[in-house]
Amino acid sequence: MNVRVSRAKMGWLGLYAATYLTFIYLPVLLLPVFSFNDAIYVAFPIKGFTLKWWEEMVAHEGMLQSLRNSLKVGVAVSIISTVFGVLAAKAFTRYRMPGSRALTGFFSIPLVIPLIILGIALLTVLTTVGVSLSLYTIMLGHVVICVPFAMFIMISRLEGFDQSVEEAAQDLGETPWMTFWRVTFPLALPGIMASMLLTFTISFDEFLLAFFLAGDQLTLPIYIWGQLRFPKKLPSVLALGSAILLATTILVTVAMMFVRRKGD
Amino acid sequence: MPDEAFISILDVSKHFGPVKAVDRVSINIAQGEFFALLGPSGCGKTTLLRMLAGFEAPTLGEIYIDDQPTASMPPYQRPVNMVFQNYAIFPHLNVYQNIAFGLRKEKLSRSDLDARVNEALALIKLEGYGTRGANELSGGQRQRVALARALIKRPKVLLLDEPLGALDKKLREQMQIELRQLQKSVGITFVFVTHDQEEALTMSDRIAVMSEGHVLEIGSPEGLYERPRTRFVADFIGTMNFFEGRVRAREGGKIAVDAERVGEVQVPADDYDFNAGDTVVVALRPENIRMRPGRPDLTANMAHGTMSNAAYLGDRAHIYVQTEGSEQPILVAMQNLDGAASSATHGERSVALQWSEQAVLLLRPE
Ligand SMILES: Nc1ncnc2c1ncn2[C@@H]1O[C@H](COP(=O)(O)OP(=O)(O)OP(=O)(O)O)[C@@H](O)[C@H]1O
Ligand SMILES: [Mg+2]
């Protein structure tokens, strides 16, 4: 390929990338900045440095309760949907079933249905059946949208290694169950970690479904949304937002490192 | 035929939907035998091997290993181990862990385990490679690790699915010899799948030639090469000239055949039950045809022709001889003894071909 052409292309691409990143990340970066700003209103110019919003955030029982709820839901959802994802991926990659394509499509429907529709549908079903809304119903909703993600991560991981290693393990005297523990599981582990981190993150900041399916216990996004009506509370929400931003970035980076790690 | 069968494959078929991957195959394999399954791609070799290993269940028929029926025996309980076509080395384990994988159930002490694994490493000449990662090995080394991993289980039967297919020619030839020596020294029954007829000939005690799910012939390398009973086997193993013909007479202990391109062919009658009027196929190996310049008078087992083409192969030459009135040349192989092949390829173009009665094979047309 002609080097100079590709370099010119690189220039344009670079400019595009820079603009794109600025638009995406500048507003996000303002979050931590204003969380240390000594003023109630989120506006320039910056007034001065303070830690009082962070202190307020840490002392805020309602906020912390919703954070705990979100963590509970997130952990449960990541475990449940990853287990489902592993099983589904195993079925799809190991058994050449008739119609497995159609089935993968079916499993990914929750990815394309607008969440608001999904939320209403789930809510209708749950209330009709007579299930009272709680953190469990939120978990249910989140599992529905997280399983496809988990499944696709696991499929790409399982497709990456040869099925004959499982046969080799059985050939060397291991039962199917021990084969799973000694071969399949260790090979799938990076995918499992990635899936758990990703589905946790999805659940953690999901708003719409949680909003429809919440009982009296709120998750963090709903709580924050509720707080926006009170201008005085906004800066401590920004502080919390900054903290979550940091945590999420770390989680996703770690997840990506697991995904990237090749079949080693 | 082995007097005592260690592995008995009794009328076994495997159907995948409409595909008959293996179709009514019966084979007996003796203990300690090096047995090859030879055939073109898709003929059912892997399927048959996987049924021995227990990864596929026969649709019909039964397999006995060491007098045990295997129908209800899962892979992990069979006294067989397999070297997979792609080796199936565990990518998350190092060489030592790969080789020791199958020993977990034996609950060996650390030092016993070390001894066993080191012994295996020595066997495959990879001493000191124990801590290498599975991805840090060359193709030949992976193949050896797969071998050691299976052999360390001390199986009664070792199944090998084209274990040398991924290696380059030099390494493959070296491994062929090593494998054969190894098999002799450990005394385990080997069932070896290959589509390479040369490989099967050099390594095996006996060979089963397969085609489209069937076993066409079973025999020793010499037997199959020198006395094939079917045209497919004659063609698949080595190279062969075929001439359509008709038996003119059977008299005086000879069968006389009128064959296209080569005229009258005479064969000792004892080996065949053909009679006058039968159509036959005359088969003649290229290396059994002698060629000399000139146009002497023809008798039986002779032909005239013109050299049309020659391929110089170093140790020998392949010379194509055109007979009158035919497009299809006769292939003659000539040893390059004292440069004979290179001078022949430049010599007189008009030649006479001659062969002995014993060199001729008569086959039933298919
Ligand atoms: N799991 C399967 N499902 C459907 N058809 C199969 C399956 N396994 C094998 N076959 C078919 O059975 C036939 C024999 O396959 P097999 O793998 O035994 O051939 P092979 O002799 O080992 O060929 P190669 O030399 O290419 O490895 C082929 O036509 C193949 O398509
Ligand atoms: Mg095969």
Side-chain angles (χ1 to χ4, degrees):
Chain A
M1 202 212 253
N2 190 316
V3 175
R4 234 180 301 164
V5 168
S6 71
R7 217 174 260 165
K9 262 191 197 157
M10 283 292 282
W12 284 108
L13 262 180
L15 185 66
Y16 170 75
T19 322
Y20 179 84
L21 289 177
T22 313
F23 270 99
I24 297 277
Y25 286 111
L26 196 61
V28 175
L29 287 177
L30 288 179
L31 220 64
V33 171
F34 281 106
S35 74
F36 293 110
N37 185 23
D38 194 3
I40 284 183
Y41 296 101
V42 177
F44 287 107
I46 305 284
K47 291 274 166 43
F49 180 81
T50 177
L51 283 178
K52 74 173 170 214
W53 308 126
W54 287 78
E55 282 158 10
E56 201 170 282
M57 180 262 285
V58 175
H60 202 312
E61 190 39 46
M63 191 169 339
L64 292 181
Q65 180 58 38
S66 65
L67 177 63
R68 279 193 291 273
N69 288 344
S70 271
L71 289 174
K72 266 190 244 168
V73 172
V75 169
V77 166
S78 75
I79 293 172
I80 295 169
S81 46
T82 299
V83 168
F84 280 135
V86 170
L87 296 179
K90 190 101 177 72
F92 284 130
T93 51
R94 288 300 176 259
Y95 309 103
R96 266 164 275 166
M97 300 183 288
S100 71
R101 263 225 193 139
L103 260 177
T104 4
F106 177 75
F107 270 90
S108 33
I109 286 176
L111 292 179
V112 292
I113 298 184
L115 284 184
I116 192 155
I117 310 269
L118 197 61
I120 293 172
L122 282 173
L123 184 62
T124 317
V125 170
L126 289 171
T127 46
T128 316
V129 178
V131 177
S132 57
L133 298 179
S134 64
L135 288 182
Y136 293 111
T137 51
I138 300 180
M139 281 178 205
L140 176 73
H142 286 181
V143 166
V144 169
I145 56 167
C146 284
V147 164
F149 285 101
M151 189 182 73
F152 284 121
I153 289 179
M154 292 317 300
I155 283 180
S156 73
R157 180 71 203 173
L158 292 184
E159 274 175 349
F161 68 85
D162 199 317
Q163 148 172 25
S164 57
V165 293
E166 289 173 335
E167 288 184 344
Q170 290 201 33
D171 189 66
L172 293 168
E174 293 298 6
T175 58
W177 178 239
M178 279 309 293
T179 296
F180 180 81
W181 279 115
R182 294 191 69 192
V183 176
T184 318
F185 183 72
L187 285 176
L189 193 59
I192 290 173
M193 299 300 290
S195 162
M196 287 185 54
L197 290 170
L198 190 70
T199 50
F200 174 84
T201 314
I202 292 172
S203 162
F204 190 76
D205 72 7
E206 201 287 328
F207 175 77
L208 259 173
L209 283 181
F211 185 69
F212 275 102
L213 301 174
D216 52 357
Q217 290 291 317
L218 304 181
T219 59
L220 195 60
I222 312 177
Y223 182 84
I224 291 178
W225 183 78
Q227 296 301 296
L228 292 181
R229 277 171 294 168
F230 314 110
K232 272 204 306 194
K233 300 268 180 64
L234 189 56
S236 65
V237 169
L238 291 185
L240 182 65
S242 311
I244 291 170
L245 192 64
L246 187 66
T248 316
T249 311
I250 292 171
L251 272 185
V252 171
T253 313
V254 174
M256 280 306 149
M257 275 160 50
F258 274 112
V259 172
R260 294 255 173 75
R261 225 175 78 181
K262 282 270 137 42
D264 40 20
Chain B
M1 268 295 120
D3 28 331
E4 192 181 303
F6 188 67
I7 301 173
S8 287
I9 301 168
L10 297 177
D11 207 11
V12 163
S13 298
K14 177 69 190 182
H15 302 173
F16 294 108
V19 181
K20 291 183 176 172
V22 171
D23 197 10
R24 308 205 57 176
V25 164
S26 294
I27 301 176
N28 287 315
I29 300 172
Q31 182 148 31
E33 202 172 12
F34 196 120
F35 193 92
L37 296 171
L38 173 67
S41 184
C43 70
K45 309 179 294 286
T46 297
T47 308
L48 190 55
L49 206 66
R50 288 172 59 81
M51 286 194 280
L52 289 174
F55 296 123
E56 310 278 2
T59 313
L60 297 166
E62 277 197 83
I63 296 174
Y64 290 84
I65 298 174
D66 198 10
D67 289 332
Q68 303 285 316
T70 57
S72 56
M73 222 189 265
Y76 50 89
Q77 284 175 356
R78 297 194 179 200
V80 305
N81 283 110
M82 182 144 162
V83 176
F84 288 76
Q85 190 156 9
N86 55 4
Y87 311 143
I89 302 291
F90 302 118
H92 59 301
L93 303 178
N94 65 23
V95 169
Y96 184 102
Q97 293 162 327
N98 261 284
I99 293 177
F101 189 92
L103 296 182
R104 183 184 68 87
K105 288 228 183 91
E106 299 192 13
K107 302 211 164 45
L108 300 175
S109 72
R110 184 78 216 178
S111 58
D112 286 351
L113 186 67
D114 273 346
R116 280 281 284 277
V117 173
N118 287 331
E119 187 191 335
L121 281 170
L123 188 70
I124 57 167
K125 304 197 182 73
L126 284 181
E127 291 106 328
Y129 277 70
T131 54
R132 282 280 185 107
N135 293 337
E136 298 162 16
L137 298 175
S138 73
Q141 290 167 339
R142 296 169 77 81
Q143 192 265 344
R144 288 158 199 247
V145 172
L147 198 63
R149 186 178 72 178
L151 281 176
I152 204 169
K153 296 276 292 175
R154 298 177 181 157
K156 293 177 177 164
V157 180
L158 189 69
L159 308 172
L160 304 103
D161 192 356
E162 305 205 20
L164 309 179
L167 309 182
D168 63 62
K169 190 166 182 295
K170 264 264 161 353
L171 187 56
R172 192 162 68 227
E173 284 169 359
Q174 183 191 336
M175 288 305 299
Q176 284 172 1
I177 296 166
E178 283 183 19
L179 256 186
R180 182 71 229 227
Q181 282 171 349
L182 188 82
Q183 190 260 345
K184 286 233 173 85
S185 65
V186 293
I188 293 172
T189 310
F190 273 35
V191 182
F192 185 95
V193 161
T194 178
H195 63 254
D196 181 341
Q197 43 103 5
E198 236 172 276
E199 192 165 283
L201 289 178
T202 36
M203 299 177 76
S204 328
D205 293 319
R206 285 192 309 146
I207 303 170
V209 183
M210 296 183 68
S211 167
E212 294 175 1
H214 302 279
V215 168
L216 295 179
E217 285 185 49
I218 301 175
S220 67
E222 303 80 23
L224 290 177
Y225 187 83
E226 281 160 26
R227 292 275 142 197
R229 279 178 286 111
T230 57
R231 183 168 178 161
F232 182 90
V233 173
D235 198 21
F236 193 74
I237 297 187
T239 33
M240 189 72 100
N241 292 297
F242 293 105
F243 311 99
E244 317 290 334
R246 181 180 290 276
V247 177
R248 184 185 339 131
R250 180 182 182 126
E251 55 190 13
K254 301 262 161 90
I255 294 178
V257 178
D258 283 324
E260 42 117 18
R261 287 185 283 162
V262 290
E264 184 181 344
V265 175
Q266 279 194 6
V267 192
D270 308 345
D271 307 345
Y272 305 101
D273 53 6
F274 294 115
N275 285 308
D278 290 348
T279 52
V280 291
V281 175
V282 174
L284 206 47
R285 294 270 180 217
E287 71 269 22
N288 286 336
I289 305 178
R290 274 171 317 227
M291 189 180 80
R292 61 200 152 87
R295 272 189 168 272
D297 289 340
L298 286 183
T299 58
N301 294 342
M302 269 184 89
H304 278 154
T306 351
M307 284 199 310
S308 62
N309 242 321
Y312 179 69
L313 301 173
D315 58 339
R316 71 213 130 100
H318 278 178
I319 295 156
Y320 295 87
V321 175
Q322 208 89 43
T323 52
E324 228 163 283
S326 172
E327 286 292 293
Q328 212 185 345
I330 300 171
L331 178 61
V332 180
M334 188 178 223
Q335 287 301 310
N336 195 3
L337 196 63
D338 298 330
S342 47
S343 55
T345 53
H346 294 106
E348 174 94 35
R349 303 195 66 80
S350 183
V351 292
L353 304 178
Q354 193 170 17
W355 52 89
S356 71
E357 289 179 358
Q358 287 74 27
V360 178
L361 272 175
L362 294 188
L363 301 171
R364 224 166 273 286
E366 272 152 27

